[in-house]
Amino acid sequence: MIQRALENGVQIYTNIIMKYAIATLLVLVLITISFLKGALTFEENMTRDIEVYLPEGEESTDILIEVRKDWATDIIIVYVETPNARNPDYFSDSVVDNITYVPTLKEIALLERTIDPYGQNVDLEEHYQADRGEKDDIIFTLSISTLIKEFNSTNARFIEASEGKIFGGLSIEEADDDVVNETGTYAIPDDQQRVDQIFDGTSSALQNFAIDTNDDGIIDTAVILFALRAQEENNDEVQEEKIAEIQRHIDERYCPSPDDCTQMTQTGLVVVLHEVTARLYDDLLTMLPISLGIIIGLMLIFHRNWLAIPVVLVPIFCALIWTLGIITVSGVVLTPMIVAAGPILVGIGVDYGLHVANRIVEFKDEGNKIPRATFLALMTTGKATFLCAVTDTIGFSALFISPIAPMRTVGLTMIIGVACAFFLTVSMTPAMMKLTNYSKHKSEGWTSIAVLSTKQWKAILVVVLLTTTYSIARISVMDQDMKGDESAPEDIDSIKKLGEYSDKFEAGQTGILLINGPEDRLKPAAKDLDVLDIMNWTQGEINNITIENRNTEKLINVSAFSIVDFFKSAHVSFVIEDLGGDPVFEYDGSFWDFLHDDFFDSFFCVASSEVLSGIYDCEQLRSDMIDVFYESFTDEMRAMLLTDEYDKALIYVSMPYVNIDDTAVIVDTIDEIAYIRDRQMHAQDAKMSQLTGGPPVTIAINEGIQNTQFDTIVLSLILVLITLMVIFKSPKFGFITFLPIFLVILWYPATVDAGGTNLNIFTAMVGTIIIGIGIDNSIQITERVREEGTTPEGIQKAVENTGQSVVEATFTTMGGVFSGVIISLYRTQFVGLRNFFGLIITLVLFSLLMAVFALPSFYHALHYLKLKYAKAPFVLSILGMINYLKSGLLLPLKLIARLFS
């Protein structure tokens, strides 16, 4: 009943296509045109936001999202080098060639004022009040320039903020009005000595924003950090505009001689992601024509008929447009990983088209007219192709379990692409074949190959067994860490500079510890000296973390900074006078030391507290002084480390980009420190989070990719096996069809090991993609074996008739994917992408060999065992099978012995 309904449906569909071939093509082309705009503009849906890569459900991800509500996590880094960094022998003046040279600092300050006007202008408080990025999209700017401007004006703001605050009437008076006027401006001082004094007074953590890279005593390199405000909408566009604005300023600087000027280069994850996305989008546009060109060449070689090109390629070209158009219309957020789907979909679509076209030609050659040949082809190879599409879809659906959203998007794109490719193939290919009267060249060599797979099936099984055993022995290579440096092209300037920044500044990966207290806390957490002390102790322990890089044997140093460093770097000098105007306390030093000075336990402080009993005491004075300190800093500088309510604070942790194992050791060490300090925080009615930000998120992504690699492969194999058994309505045919792709997956470790391939966010998807692509060959062979029969003659005939289509489809698939290898070699120098496409090509080739040689051998073995043991008693059957397997295992040993005898 079902079979009859299926035949009637296929017959009706065939009649429509054959009768209205031109109309069918026109309707499908018109639909394709309607999707064309979306397909051409799909890049607009590609995000550069690092947040989309965050593994869902991870503690570090949740903390990072909380941090992002109040602070910036998107940073643009401008890497600044003086001529001394490039040519230390010639540019060796300790003043002029130093990054702290006043004209150089003013050049940096000009860039900062241009990009961040509401945070870096001289008349900051009068006309440009810090806005947390609402007006200029910059939450804060941090560099050696901003630090010098900040500390140059701190003393004046400190005096202004302290007036009338202590002891209810005592005041702090400036020692010298001229000094206050000279140092009270938020600007780079004209006096070089004043600049040097400020720089020398900053804490060591803040001095890390400018360093000497060639050990000649001249500070030659600095970084400017622009922290971008995360936009609820159009975040990518705002970032793109800001990157372009910074680059315009860099390019338009007046520079009589390039060798004498500072060199400024943008880098940081924001810039890297934008450049990588743009590069991969361009690569995809370049890759698809190359892919189609290779496929056209292979089809002309195989078919020797130019009509094969439109017959097979027009449907897949339309399928690509449909896929990209549907993805764009759906509003799914895309990432650069989508570049992996293009060549693969081309290969799959050509695979479907060749199988259907070749079978139609085969039935025509048997004397059937085109309508009848089409009907028979759709009922046989068409059904097998449908099974391929179903299993491909189910295989790719396993990517949906990944905690990494971009991997799920690739899975969705592949599923939509497979559906479009199948529908357009069975609709457009027969119509075009009718209009063109297409025929193909048939190779006679397949008879010999079919005979080989029939006669040498035992030897083939032995080779398969030995290869599988070796690969399983190499399974440990799959338990490797992600190589972050393989997840992006190597030849992008921002990536090179980020690596240089990581190496020289021992930074690049930024972690964050969040400190907060309840909203109803009597005193905000960041204004409580006890909380600040715990933050200081935490930083001290983190700054002492040093481990040996297991790859280079160099030491890895970690550093941390927070508002405590500004307390330590702020130099203040003041005099406290009594009501009569006589000085009772004079101080000249860092504000942090003042807060811990013996003054608060002195006779004067205690006596004054007793006089003002119940109204004011020494602790209130200390608390007021912390208020004074915060008010002495600009709003933007406070916004970098504190919330406006002072109930939350951050400790930034910097470390270089190193291997995952060492990163994990550092993160675990910091988490242990944070756990202990958090317990101390609880005693102060506050808390400290575990580390979040770059390092722990990288580790979580690595673990997510590792787990995804195994979980998706296992799930995909299970789903495909069940699907095959259900669709074939036979556990026997389902399992035997499944065996080749299962063995190819078992060969995956040996392939990875032999190719020296590393795990990255692309190669983690290879296993699932190969299951989706590779199972098609086995399905086509099995479907033909079922038609011809499982006898040796039937198996041989199935290979002889289907083998050519399988090889043509596989090699065109490999040719389409090979465009990715070409692009990664001459254009992007993208190791990760090259490994991804290289693995797919290799494993697709293995799936072809397994389908053409191993699968027929499995059917021969089943037929042999069935004949030999069908009538034997059960025990004898088992013993016979054991002896048979034993002889198979001994065969290669006998062959080796003969070679050496």
Side-chain angles (χ1 to χ4, degrees):
M1 186 73 177
I2 296 177
Q3 181 66 22
R4 178 60 63 87
L6 177 63
E7 290 180 2
N8 290 338
V10 172
Q11 186 65 68
I12 293 171
Y13 192 70
T14 302
N15 292 340
I16 293 173
I17 295 173
M18 293 294 100
K19 187 175 181 180
Y20 305 104
I22 295 176
T24 299
L25 292 175
L26 284 176
V27 168
L28 295 176
V29 167
L30 287 174
I31 296 174
T32 301
I33 293 172
S34 70
F35 282 126
L36 187 60
K37 181 180 179 181
L40 294 177
T41 60
F42 79 92
E43 195 238 354
E44 296 176 3
N45 276 26
M46 292 179 71
T47 183
R48 289 84 172 165
D49 195 342
I50 189 66
E51 192 171 287
V52 300
Y53 296 92
L54 300 180
E56 297 167 358
E58 290 287 336
E59 181 183 4
S60 58
T61 299
D62 296 337
I63 298 171
L64 188 62
I65 292 172
E66 181 182 353
V67 168
R68 195 168 190 176
K69 293 177 183 177
D70 298 298
W71 289 283
T73 56
D74 298 328
I75 306 289
I76 293 177
I77 300 172
V78 178
Y79 196 81
V80 184
E81 298 170 284
T82 69
N84 174 265
R86 303 188 297 273
N87 189 352
D89 294 331
Y90 184 77
F91 298 96
S92 56
D93 190 299
S94 60
V95 176
V96 175
D97 296 318
N98 201 304
I99 203 82
T100 58
Y101 183 47
V102 168
T104 300
L105 287 173
K106 288 189 174 183
E107 181 186 3
I108 296 172
L110 177 60
L111 171 62
E112 294 169 345
R113 288 199 307 274
T114 303
I115 304 304
D116 184 16
Y118 287 87
Q120 297 302 315
N121 265 292
V122 176
D123 51 351
L124 188 62
E125 296 179 358
E126 296 181 13
H127 301 99
Y128 294 91
Q129 295 184 358
D131 62 339
R132 283 192 177 266
E134 291 186 7
K135 295 180 180 178
D136 57 19
D137 300 311
I138 303 292
I139 294 181
F140 68 81
T141 299
L142 182 61
S143 70
I144 191 63
S145 165
T146 59
L147 291 173
I148 288 174
K149 288 184 287 186
E150 192 73 34
F151 292 128
N152 184 56
S153 57
T154 297
N155 205 42
R157 281 195 302 272
F158 175 82
I159 292 170
E160 181 181 347
S162 64
E163 288 295 328
K165 266 212 169 184
I166 61 172
F167 287 129
L170 297 175
S171 64
I172 298 176
E173 295 292 345
E174 58 271 28
D176 188 336
D177 286 342
D178 293 335
V179 173
V180 172
N181 292 333
E182 177 188 346
T183 64
T185 307
Y186 187 81
I188 300 296
D190 294 325
D191 183 3
Q192 186 67 54
Q193 287 186 334
R194 172 63 179 161
V195 169
D196 295 339
Q197 175 192 7
I198 295 172
F199 181 76
D200 293 339
T202 58
S203 74
S204 59
L206 298 181
Q207 285 182 349
N208 286 338
F209 290 98
I211 62 172
D212 173 14
T213 62
N214 46 37
D215 298 324
D216 62 353
I218 299 174
I219 301 170
D220 53 55
T221 305
V223 289
I224 309 171
L225 308 183
F226 291 111
L228 274 62
R229 177 172 176 262
Q231 309 291 324
E232 294 183 3
E233 296 181 359
N234 303 321
N235 193 53
D236 289 338
E237 288 81 356
V238 171
Q239 290 181 353
E240 193 78 46
E241 291 172 5
K242 194 59 64 176
I243 292 170
E245 183 183 355
I246 293 172
Q247 194 59 49
R248 276 197 305 272
H249 180 89
I250 292 173
D251 294 339
E252 292 170 0
R253 289 179 302 156
Y254 173 71
C255 185
S257 173
D259 291 336
D260 297 333
C261 296
T262 59
Q263 180 174 310
M264 295 185 178
T265 309
Q266 292 191 77
T267 186
L269 284 180
V270 171
V271 179
V272 166
L273 283 173
H274 277 264
E275 291 194 3
V276 168
T277 301
R279 170 67 68 82
L280 291 184
Y281 175 70
D282 291 341
D283 287 346
L284 180 59
L285 296 183
T286 306
M287 200 182 303
L288 291 177
I290 294 175
S291 178
L292 292 173
I294 294 173
I295 288 172
I296 288 172
L298 288 171
M299 290 177 65
L300 289 175
I301 292 171
F302 286 133
H303 291 246
R304 302 178 190 178
N305 186 343
W306 69 269
L307 289 175
I309 297 171
V311 166
V312 175
L313 290 189
V314 168
I316 188 52
F317 179 74
C318 294
L320 277 174
I321 294 175
W322 281 36
T323 303
L324 294 175
I326 292 171
I327 282 289
T328 302
V329 170
S330 71
V332 174
V333 176
L334 304 178
T335 68
M337 290 181 65
I338 200 68
V339 73
I344 295 172
L345 287 176
V346 170
I348 289 176
V350 171
D351 190 334
Y352 295 170
L354 285 174
H355 283 300
V356 171
N358 287 353
R359 197 63 191 276
I360 292 175
V361 170
E362 186 179 329
F363 280 118
K364 279 180 60 182
D365 291 343
E366 293 176 0
N368 296 288
K369 293 188 178 299
I370 183 69
R372 180 61 180 172
T374 300
F375 170 74
L376 294 174
L378 293 182
M379 285 302 300
T380 52
T381 299
K383 183 172 71 172
T385 305
F386 175 73
L387 297 183
C388 293
V390 170
T391 51
D392 290 348
T393 298
I394 290 173
F396 295 137
S397 68
L399 289 172
F400 289 159
I401 68 171
S402 172
I404 312 296
M407 295 180 74
R408 298 199 298 270
T409 302
V410 171
L412 176 62
T413 304
M414 297 298 292
I415 289 172
I416 293 174
V418 165
C420 293
F422 173 76
F423 172 72
L424 290 172
T425 293
V426 297
S427 302
M428 299 183 81
T429 297
M432 295 183 72
M433 290 182 71
K434 179 189 177 184
L435 295 174
T436 59
N437 194 28
Y438 168 77
S439 62
K440 65 174 292 243
H441 168 77
K442 181 172 177 60
S443 173
E444 301 298 329
W446 277 99
T447 302
S448 301
I449 294 175
V451 170
L452 176 65
S453 65
T454 298
K455 301 293 185 182
Q456 302 298 326
W457 63 271
K458 293 181 182 180
I460 292 171
L461 289 181
V462 170
V463 172
V464 169
L465 179 62
L466 289 176
T467 306
T468 305
T469 303
Y470 169 76
S471 184
I472 291 174
R474 304 298 302 157
I475 193 77
S476 60
V477 302
M478 303 304 297
D479 188 22
Q480 59 175 298
D481 292 318
M482 178 185 66
K483 297 292 182 181
D485 57 350
E486 291 192 0
S487 298
E490 298 174 345
D491 57 340
I492 291 180
D493 289 339
S494 60
I495 294 179
K496 292 178 181 177
K497 198 57 68 174
L498 187 60
E500 190 175 331
Y501 171 58
S502 171
D503 182 51
K504 293 182 178 179
F505 280 80
E506 295 188 306
Q509 289 199 95
T510 302
I512 296 171
L513 292 172
L514 174 64
I515 292 90
N516 60 6
E519 294 181 2
D520 58 351
R521 197 176 190 275
L522 187 61
K523 183 188 298 182
K527 287 188 174 184
D528 190 328
L529 187 59
D530 292 329
V531 173
L532 293 171
D533 278 333
I534 297 173
M535 291 173 61
N536 180 48
W537 301 331
T538 304
Q539 284 184 237
E541 291 182 282
I542 292 174
N543 287 332
N544 287 329
I545 296 175
T546 300
I547 69 169
E548 185 179 276
N549 189 316
R550 65 191 64 198
N551 292 340
T552 65
E553 297 183 355
K554 294 181 180 179
L555 292 181
I556 303 170
N557 297 308
V558 185
S559 63
F561 78 93
S562 71
I563 194 64
V564 171
D565 289 289
F566 289 89
F567 275 99
K568 292 179 179 179
S569 296
H571 185 275
V572 292
S573 58
F574 55 84
V575 178
I576 299 179
E577 300 174 348
D578 61 18
L579 297 176
D582 297 324
V584 294
F585 179 74
E586 296 183 37
Y587 184 80
D588 183 29
S590 82
F591 198 83
W592 182 256
D593 290 338
F594 170 67
L595 291 177
H596 295 81
D597 194 90
D598 293 338
F599 164 76
F600 294 98
D601 297 319
S602 67
F603 172 78
F604 172 79
C605 185
V606 174
S608 301
S609 299
E610 291 175 355
V611 172
L612 300 173
S613 179
I615 302 175
Y616 206 85
D617 58 23
C618 293
E619 285 307 311
Q620 183 64 48
L621 170 62
R622 201 193 310 252
S623 179
D624 281 347
M625 296 306 287
I626 293 175
D627 287 341
V628 167
F629 170 79
Y630 283 137
E631 291 177 20
S632 69
F633 272 83
T634 58
D635 293 340
E636 181 160 305
M637 192 60 72
R638 290 197 301 269
M640 179 177 68
L641 298 164
L642 308 165
T643 56
D644 291 336
E645 296 77 21
Y646 301 96
D647 59 333
K648 296 179 182 179
L650 297 182
I651 296 176
Y652 286 99
V653 179
S654 294
M655 66 183 75
Y657 283 99
V658 293
N659 62 80
I660 290 289
D661 289 333
D662 287 336
T663 300
V665 170
I666 294 172
V667 170
D668 289 342
T669 303
I670 294 173
D671 282 344
E672 289 174 6
I673 294 170
Y675 175 75
I676 295 171
R677 296 304 180 188
D678 179 52
R679 296 179 66 181
Q680 291 179 303
M681 285 280 187
H682 283 301
Q684 305 300 329
D685 194 23
K687 59 183 179 179
M688 179 183 293
S689 74
Q690 295 286 280
L691 190 70
T692 187
V697 166
T698 299
I699 293 169
I701 291 174
N702 176 69
E703 292 176 351
I705 290 175
Q706 280 186 328
N707 294 336
T708 293
Q709 180 177 226
F710 290 103
D711 293 347
T712 55
I713 287 175
V714 170
L715 179 61
S716 185
L717 287 172
I718 292 172
L719 292 176
V720 166
L721 176 59
I722 293 172
T723 304
L724 290 172
M725 289 181 174
V726 171
I727 292 178
F728 283 131
K729 299 178 183 178
S730 167
K732 178 183 71 175
F733 281 112
F735 181 75
I736 294 177
T737 306
F738 168 79
L739 266 182
I741 196 62
F742 177 66
L743 292 172
V744 168
I745 294 300
L746 291 181
W747 290 9
Y748 189 18
T751 308
V752 169
D753 185 42
T757 307
N758 290 308
L759 176 67
N760 59 61
I761 202 165
F762 287 97
T763 57
M765 300 186 296
V766 165
T768 303
I769 290 174
I770 269 310
I771 293 170
I773 299 175
I775 195 65
D776 294 358
N777 295 329
S778 297
I779 289 174
Q780 296 289 350
I781 295 287
T782 289
E783 186 62 26
R784 196 58 181 265
V785 167
R786 294 182 72 192
E787 290 181 36
E788 306 292 347
T790 56
T791 63
E793 295 77 16
I795 298 168
Q796 181 175 326
K797 190 174 180 181
V799 173
E800 184 177 340
N801 290 318
T802 308
Q804 183 174 354
S805 292
V806 169
V807 168
E808 290 174 2
T810 302
F811 272 89
T812 49
T813 299
M814 291 165 59
V817 175
F818 188 67
S819 64
V821 177
I822 295 174
I823 287 291
S824 66
L825 283 171
Y826 90 89
R827 178 176 165 87
T828 66
Q829 298 176 30
F830 195 161
V831 176
L833 203 60
R834 182 162 68 244
N835 288 342
F836 171 74
F837 287 123
L839 275 175
I840 288 179
I841 290 172
T842 304
L843 294 171
V844 165
L845 178 61
F846 288 163
S847 71
L848 167 66
L849 297 175
M850 294 294 284
V852 173
F853 294 103
L855 183 58
S857 299
F858 294 147
Y859 283 118
H860 280 297
L862 182 66
H863 180 75
Y864 176 83
L865 293 174
K866 185 177 179 181
L867 290 179
K868 188 169 183 179
Y869 300 111
K871 299 180 180 180
F874 178 76
V875 175
L876 292 177
S877 298
I878 297 297
L879 291 175
M881 291 180 68
I882 293 174
N883 289 330
Y884 176 74
L885 292 174
K886 187 185 297 184
S887 65
L889 289 170
L890 291 175
L891 179 60
L893 297 177
K894 293 177 181 178
L895 292 173
I896 294 172
R898 285 185 181 180
L899 287 174
F900 289 95
S901 61

